[in-house]
Amino acid sequence: LESLRLRGTNISCFPPRSSFSRLSKLRALDLSGALVDYLPPSALFEHPLLENMNLSGTPVWRSLDWSAHGLGLTSVFAQNFHRLARALPMLESFNVSGNGLRDASALDLAALPLLERLDVSHNPELTPPAEASFSWWKVLSAHPTLGGPNARFIGLANVGLRAEHIKLTRSEKGQSGAAGLTCAELRWLA
């Protein structure tokens, strides 16, 4: 079986992993308009041939909770984040807290432009050392929704942020070339 169309059905979940794994030749899965409210990581990451997954109009199309799934225990999540973004481009809420994630740069948040809620908390090794080029500030403030007034929640508790990741300098009023904080940037500190 290479293509399965179940759109508009009352299916609310994926079959057990052992059953779904038998569909190893599946290339296209259409569950649009179904009642699916959860997408197991295995459905995306253990089926390399499954390149066309249509989940539009399902509850999981807008909200995905993968908290405490052990996603950081292997490199599969980091290597396949693009598959998640392709399957759920309309995602507004994404929770990957408590997964032992270690590669913040693997979270290509720009590929999820409608994201309003992000929880990456309780991944204590997620933030690289301060001398690395990664910056939560830059990633989040550049995001179309997370960096603006439409952001609803950003969970960064216990992600390895330390004092050396934050550098504020004092500038005198009228000082040429002095860079202060913008109002949008101040919201991150509040």
Side-chain angles (χ1 to χ4, degrees), residues 9-151:
T9 62
N10 64 354
I11 292 174
S12 61
C13 63
F14 275 76
R17 187 179 194 170
S18 59
S19 299
F20 194 67
S21 67
R22 287 187 254 164
L23 299 173
S24 61
K25 295 184 190 240
L26 194 63
R27 294 181 178 278
L29 176 61
D30 185 354
L31 290 167
S32 60
L35 302 175
V36 176
D37 61 0
Y38 174 73
L39 173 65
S42 60
L44 278 181
F45 304 148
E46 295 176 8
H47 296 272
L49 297 178
L50 183 54
E51 289 293 328
N52 184 2
M53 185 181 296
N54 185 351
L55 294 165
S56 62
T58 64
V60 76
W61 181 245
R62 302 265 183 209
S63 179
L64 181 61
D65 185 349
W66 276 356
S67 59
H69 277 59
L71 297 172
L73 301 178
T74 69
S75 60
V76 173
F77 178 74
Q79 293 170 347
N80 290 288
F81 189 82
H82 66 281
R83 292 177 61 94
L84 167 72
R86 190 171 51 243
L88 299 172
M90 304 301 283
L91 205 58
E92 295 173 356
S93 178
F94 186 40
N95 183 347
V96 286
S97 63
N99 273 292
L101 298 177
R102 294 185 177 130
D103 186 2
S105 60
L107 297 169
D108 182 12
L109 299 179
L112 300 171
L114 301 178
L115 209 53
E116 297 174 352
R117 298 179 59 83
L118 173 67
D119 192 350
V120 294
S121 60
H122 307 293
N123 288 294
E125 297 177 38
L126 186 59
T127 303
E131 60 274 1
S133 62
F134 178 84
S135 164
W136 282 113
W137 186 283
K138 289 177 186 173
V139 169
L140 294 172
S141 61
H143 192 274
T145 50
L146 293 173
N150 292 329

